[in-house]
Amino acid sequence: MVTTLVASRVSPGRVGAVIGRNVGALRSGPSYWIVLLSGFFEPLLYLLSIGVGVGALVGDLTVDGRTMSYASFVAPAMLAVSAMSGALAETTFNFFFKLKYMKTFEAVLATPVRPIEIAVGELVWAIVRGSLYTAIFLVVMVAMGLAEPGWAVAAFPATVLVGLAFGGLGMAVSTLMRGWQDFDLMGTGQFALFLFSGTFSPVQDYPVGVEVLIQITPLYHAVELVRGLCMGVLEWGLLGHAVYLAALAGAGVWFASRRLTRVLCD
Amino acid sequence: MADQPLIYARGLVKRFGEFTAVDGIDLDVAPGEAFGFLGPNGAGKSSTMRMIGCVSTPTTGELRILGMDAVHDGPRIRARLGVCPQLDNLDPDLTVRENLVTYARYFGLSRAESRRRADELLEFVQLGDRAGGKVEPLSGGMKRRLTIARAMVNDPDLVLLDEPTTGLDPQARHLLWERLFRLKQRGTTLVLTTHYMDEAEQLCDRLVVMDGGRIVAEGSPRSLIETYSTAEVVEVRFPGMPEAGPRFAAALEGVGKRVDPLPDRVLVYVDDGDAALAEIHRRGLEPSSVLVRRSTLEDVFLHLTGRTLVD
Amino acid sequence: MAVTRGVHPTIAVLERHLTLYRRLWQASVFSSFVLPVLFLLSIGIGVGGYIGRVQGVDYLSWIVPGVLASTAFQIAVGESTYSVLGDFKWVRAYHAMRATPVGPADMVRGHLLYLVFRVTIAVVAFLVVVVFFGGLHSPWALVTPLVCAFLTVSVAAPVMAFAATIDHDSYFSLLFRLVALPSTLFAGVFFPVEQLTAVLRPLAYASPLWHAVELCRAATLGRAPAWPALVHVGCLLLWAAAGLFLAVRAFRRKLED
Ligand SMILES: Nc1ncnc2c1ncn2[C@@H]1O[C@H](COP(=O)(O)OP(=O)(O)OP(=O)(O)O)[C@@H](O)[C@H]1O
Ligand SMILES: [Mg+2]
């Protein structure tokens, strides 16, 4: 339903123009390639430090009856985190800056481009950037023997879905931001997700109340989906995680474009 | 120290790489004087002001401020200066009052003294009612007034003002002139740059005109006008300007001491405006409009730099 | 002279930062206090549950001093980047100071004092929380704020020099990702540096964070550090001295024209 609704109102050409603006803006910054690529280091460094370094202290881990090295437990989670932070970086900080300070969108809306097209364009751009990171990360995982090549290929579309979900969420949140001080709050929230969403230890081992709380939050579903695929464990549960993420993406875009319309067109 | 110049410069040069911004200037500013710099954009006024403020090191030349060497005694000199830079650099996250108190502390004033000075100066520049508010929402003119108040927080012997009134509305400018005049009466030495001739005439005892990094004229406003201009100026417009301008300018040759064709009008420099007007009519010229006025610094400036002030 | 000397210019600079902090402190509560505690919960207790003893102690007790020092490290890096660049570029606060008797050395020292203040608050608050987790084992833990103060200067000074040298803030992401994050993750905070391959180990030894982590760990566990304590302190002082020199030079260059 949402897709047909969106499709009937969205022109690919105009969405392309929104994306093109982003590419152009990125190119103009100094040393933009290094800055862009360095974003990929973050989850890799965590994998090496916590996954491999602390993993050596942990030894093997048994989750749901399956035994694995700690690094191969952490690696898929870092992949999901990579997709999340790539998408969030673009749709929160940068998006907010364009919305509030550069008045980029106001200028864009003076043309035939509609708010929904801005939202979709920004989201696609966020995914492109996020996918760049996840693709490299998957190659590293295969090289380190933390994933089979075949399952790594299968996991890639899942990371795109994760990017879409967090991209939509990020945009929706950005339209509600009052100022930079809210980003501190959001950063803390994002970091809490990063620490507790089954990334470094299985949620089953948390107290029940905490476990249920975590299962409501999005990164948990992202980690479970990506981990299932990376390990080649296909279960019906994966479908549930995928539906959760798709719904989040749709709701995020819908909400963001509604808010954009209200903020910019009134 | 009464007879010693407050600012003494000989052969002062400032280069940025290959580019020479200030090209060997000499200055003597006496205590209690109000001294002005005029000049077109890029003439080197701000570069000179920054050297006098001891924040920019002269490339060559001698510069002594308050009897001390500008290069070696920077901190001691700056302790006795008040500086209002061309661009405001107020602290946007502090309140109006905190801006002044913080700045006063940089000069080593005690906390109580800093607060007292801040409140006094806020009244002086009529910002008392904004004391607790942020700086960000102040209007341009209010920010300028606050910067000037800040420049006076240490009760300086010498105040440097780089374009203090640029961008202000007429009321704000007159308020500032009045405040600066009061400072001058108290014996504070003022050095300012400006693009406004009326400001220079109002405030300055003496001024220099800079162009291309050099001083091209120096004197009191009156003496500059006497030296570089005539008593009166006749401004005439003709139908068909600007194309017809040079033709009419040629026809006006000899009416006065000098003829200056501008795009929209022709200026004729004369000692007696009415006599000149009669001569123009005698020559059978029929201007579409005529204005006879006294010579101003603007005319001096135009003559010396070949440019109008606000270009 | 009209002006009576009441306060040293360095202290006046410190006061400016404190005045600003009074307005902005709420925002920093999360990054400097809540985050370290979350870290401790997730890695120390969560992951620690799968780890036996490390170097003879339980994992939580082992990483408490690491997270403590890395909290100081984060504040030192984080508060010496955008705010320093911004005070040159957008706020131009340093240009305003430049027109007064305040010199580049005062600007650098005033900022460093402010950071020591910030770090001390965060570190003490963290210590109080950790006491309830039973993470401290020796009264020597009381010297950790001092160690963290040394760490702050040895890290913040070179970062300030960097911030005063670059002209675009995008270089900070390189600093964060290629220097600051690897330091946090590989300088003995989460696992012993002996586990690093021999090629990487010298990098950890060069990092001021590792020396501070070793000193803090020795203090909270009540045992001797890896190297003689004076050597660790000496390394921190070396970084601090070099950083101060570079920062003052960078400030002076940035402000002269
Ligand atoms: N830091 C600098 N680096 C390089 N060139 C500079 C610098 N500061 C000034 N200049 C150059 O020196 C020349 C004189 O500049 P200055 O600011 O002194 O002019 P000004 O007389 O104050 O002009 P305006 O009326 O526009 O303020 C200009 O050509 C300017 O580009
Ligand atoms: Mg200027």
Side-chain angles (χ1 to χ4, degrees):
Chain A
M1 225 292 282
V2 174
T3 31
T4 51
L5 186 73
V6 170
S8 65
R9 289 164 62 190
V10 173
S11 137
R14 292 199 290 260
V15 170
V18 174
I19 300 170
R21 211 209 64 80
N22 276 315
V23 178
L26 186 64
R27 297 186 75 97
S28 63
S31 68
Y32 74 100
W33 275 116
I34 312 174
V35 171
L36 183 70
L37 285 179
S38 70
F40 148 79
F41 276 95
E42 225 161 291
L44 177 67
L45 292 173
Y46 271 102
L47 173 64
L48 292 177
S49 169
I50 311 289
V52 180
V54 177
L57 302 171
V58 173
D60 283 348
L61 200 65
T62 305
V63 186
D64 292 339
R66 281 189 310 277
T67 301
M68 64 195 89
S69 74
Y70 186 66
S72 52
F73 174 80
V74 170
M78 292 304 110
L79 180 61
V81 165
S82 174
M84 169 180 84
S85 38
L88 280 184
E90 205 56 59
T91 56
T92 55
F93 209 73
N94 294 355
F95 186 84
F96 180 75
F97 189 68
K98 284 185 264 189
L99 182 65
K100 265 260 160 48
Y101 293 94
M102 300 211 324
K103 306 284 176 202
T104 308
F105 297 148
E106 257 170 55
V108 171
L109 284 178
T111 70
V113 177
R114 276 193 298 265
I116 183 87
E117 287 161 343
I118 291 182
V120 172
E122 291 294 324
L123 186 58
V124 171
W125 168 242
I127 302 309
V128 169
R129 184 174 167 172
S131 297
L132 190 70
Y133 296 158
T134 53
I136 307 175
F137 197 84
L138 275 166
V139 172
V140 173
M141 278 172 70
V142 172
M144 288 174 66
L146 297 172
E148 300 286 327
W151 290 114
V153 172
F156 183 72
T159 64
V160 175
L161 182 61
V162 172
L164 276 171
F166 280 99
L169 180 66
M171 252 190 308
V173 170
S174 293
T175 60
L176 295 173
M177 290 275 175
R178 290 161 304 173
W180 296 116
Q181 69 276 14
D182 285 345
F183 279 93
D184 268 300
L185 216 63
M186 197 198 74
T188 310
Q190 192 184 334
F191 199 68
L193 291 185
F194 167 68
L195 287 176
F196 295 102
S197 298
T199 34
F200 297 112
S201 46
V203 289
Q204 292 88 326
D205 297 347
Y206 286 131
V208 178
V210 178
E211 184 185 342
V212 171
L213 196 69
I214 290 170
Q215 283 174 346
I216 301 171
T217 61
L219 185 60
Y220 165 76
H221 296 277
V223 169
E224 290 299 312
L225 175 65
V226 172
R227 185 176 282 144
L229 286 169
C230 283
M231 298 194 163
V233 184
L234 293 181
E235 293 169 339
W236 286 111
L238 295 190
L239 206 59
H241 299 308
V243 169
Y244 177 104
L245 294 172
L248 186 62
V253 174
W254 173 78
F255 184 82
S257 70
R258 242 182 60 132
R259 285 279 307 169
L260 275 184
T261 311
R262 173 143 357 128
V263 173
L264 296 173
C265 300
D266 284 355
Chain B
M1 84 162 227
D3 297 313
Q4 195 181 10
L6 218 61
I7 302 174
Y8 171 89
R10 287 295 174 273
L12 197 58
V13 172
K14 182 70 193 179
R15 280 193 208 98
F16 298 106
E18 293 289 286
F19 180 78
T20 305
V22 178
D23 196 3
I25 61 171
D26 300 343
L27 295 169
D28 291 284
V29 178
E33 208 176 6
F35 187 86
F37 285 96
L38 296 180
N41 292 133
K45 305 183 295 294
S46 296
S47 303
T48 307
M49 291 288 266
R50 287 208 305 275
M51 286 191 280
I52 297 173
C54 303
V55 297
S56 163
T57 319
T59 312
T60 60
E62 190 185 356
L63 179 61
R64 299 184 69 77
I65 316 286
L66 296 157
M68 291 176 274
D69 182 72
V71 180
H72 295 107
D73 295 318
R76 275 175 62 210
I77 296 171
R78 288 197 296 268
R80 291 166 62 189
L81 298 188
V83 178
C84 170
Q86 186 168 355
L87 297 173
D88 289 321
N89 52 17
L90 297 161
D91 229 313
D93 293 318
L94 296 179
T95 65
V96 169
R97 189 163 179 267
E98 283 170 346
N99 258 282
L100 294 184
V101 174
T102 304
Y103 204 76
R105 299 286 280 164
Y106 294 156
F107 287 96
L109 269 66
S110 74
R111 206 180 294 269
E113 178 69 4
S114 301
R115 295 209 187 100
R116 202 184 56 72
R117 287 292 292 163
D119 292 335
E120 199 178 285
L121 286 167
L122 284 176
E123 289 312 317
F124 184 65
V125 295
Q126 296 187 356
L127 284 171
D129 53 332
R130 305 297 290 254
K134 280 271 179 79
V135 163
E136 201 64 61
L138 294 185
S139 76
M142 292 174 177
K143 283 186 186 152
R144 212 64 195 140
R145 262 144 62 193
L146 182 57
T147 308
I148 289 170
R150 196 183 69 174
M152 286 155 23
V153 85
N154 57 328
D155 202 1
D157 299 321
L158 169 61
V159 178
L160 306 175
L161 303 142
D162 199 347
E163 298 191 22
T165 64
T166 296
L168 301 195
D169 67 22
Q171 274 95 335
R173 284 179 69 204
H174 281 281
L175 174 71
L176 265 181
W177 287 354
E178 195 264 326
R179 298 293 129 140
L180 293 176
F181 188 72
R182 273 165 55 177
L183 268 188
K184 190 178 140 185
Q185 277 183 320
R186 283 194 224 159
T188 308
T189 311
L190 300 180
V191 174
L192 57 102
T193 76
T194 183
H195 285 296
Y196 302 112
M197 293 304 111
D198 47 349
E199 185 161 297
E201 292 198 51
Q202 281 262 346
L203 292 175
C204 299
D205 303 321
R206 205 153 58 83
L207 41 89
V208 292
V209 179
M210 286 188 77
D211 194 19
R214 292 171 178 280
I215 292 177
V216 292
E218 177 174 355
S220 70
R222 219 38 279 152
S223 75
L224 280 173
I225 292 169
E226 278 160 17
T227 313
Y228 296 98
S229 194
T230 50
E232 295 191 316
V233 181
V234 183
E235 296 194 8
V236 283
R237 287 169 208 261
F238 292 100
M241 301 237 347
E243 294 78 19
R247 190 160 49 79
F248 286 113
L252 286 165
E253 215 44 74
V255 171
K257 293 234 168 88
R258 195 157 50 81
V259 176
D260 215 341
L262 300 184
D264 62 329
R265 59 195 196 277
V266 181
L267 304 187
V268 187
Y269 294 88
V270 297
D271 289 325
D272 180 347
D274 292 329
L277 212 54
E279 170 66 12
I280 290 172
H281 287 298
R282 204 191 54 75
R283 291 189 184 189
L285 298 168
E286 284 177 12
S288 55
S289 78
V290 177
L291 172 71
V292 180
R293 60 168 174 81
R294 283 161 57 86
S295 227
T296 65
L297 272 179
E298 184 100 33
D299 301 305
V300 174
F301 192 84
L302 193 66
H303 176 57
L304 288 171
T305 68
R307 262 156 296 183
T308 47
L309 269 165
V310 194
D311 45 71
Chain C
M1 199 147 148
V3 177
T4 50
R5 287 250 148 240
V7 62
H8 193 277
T10 296
I11 303 301
V13 175
L14 166 67
E15 274 181 24
R16 170 194 178 245
H17 293 297
L18 290 177
T19 311
L20 280 171
Y21 182 64
R22 230 179 24 214
R23 191 144 301 121
L24 306 170
W25 68 271
Q26 288 97 336
S28 71
V29 167
F30 283 104
S31 49
S32 48
F33 182 62
V34 176
L35 289 187
V37 173
L38 289 180
F39 230 103
L40 203 63
L41 289 176
S42 168
I43 310 292
I45 297 180
V47 180
Y50 309 100
I51 298 176
R53 296 175 85 74
V54 181
Q55 295 178 338
V57 292
D58 63 290
Y59 188 62
L60 179 72
S61 301
W62 193 83
I63 78 162
V64 157
V67 175
L68 185 74
S70 83
T71 301
F73 180 85
Q74 296 296 339
I75 295 174
V77 174
E79 297 293 321
S80 306
T81 46
Y82 288 98
S83 56
V84 171
L85 182 75
D87 277 348
F88 276 115
K89 206 171 161 172
W90 301 301
V91 178
R92 296 176 69 78
Y94 290 129
H95 295 84
M97 291 179 201
R98 178 82 176 95
T100 74
V102 174
D106 298 308
M107 300 175 197
V108 171
R109 289 190 304 233
H111 190 255
L112 288 173
L113 284 178
Y114 163 68
L115 291 184
V116 168
F117 166 81
R118 286 280 308 271
V119 162
T120 305
I121 293 181
V123 161
V124 169
F126 185 77
L127 284 173
V128 169
V129 173
V130 167
V131 167
F132 291 103
F133 286 105
L136 305 180
H137 300 276
S138 158
W140 279 101
L142 289 173
V143 306
T144 54
L146 189 64
V147 174
C148 290
F150 278 128
L151 174 67
T152 305
V153 176
S154 65
V155 170
V159 172
M160 285 172 75
F162 178 73
T165 308
I166 61 175
D167 48 23
H168 198 286
D169 62 306
S170 64
Y171 292 103
F172 286 141
S173 29
L174 295 182
L175 178 78
F176 292 142
R177 287 157 176 169
L178 301 182
V179 181
L181 188 63
S183 293
T184 315
L185 291 175
F186 300 99
V189 173
F190 298 108
F191 59 90
V193 291
E194 289 75 36
Q195 276 175 235
L196 292 174
T197 58
V199 188
L200 293 178
R201 230 172 292 152
L203 285 178
Y205 294 153
S207 155
L209 180 55
W210 179 70
H211 297 284
V213 169
E214 279 305 321
L215 287 172
C216 286
R217 190 163 283 143
T220 62
L221 298 178
R223 62 189 191 194
W227 299 355
L230 277 181
V231 176
H232 289 304
V233 173
C235 288
L236 289 177
L237 289 181
L238 208 63
W239 270 99
L244 264 167
F245 171 77
L246 290 174
V248 172
R249 197 181 63 164
F251 270 56
R252 183 166 290 129
R253 287 194 177 159
K254 189 96 172 179
L255 290 170
E256 81 183 6
D257 61 356

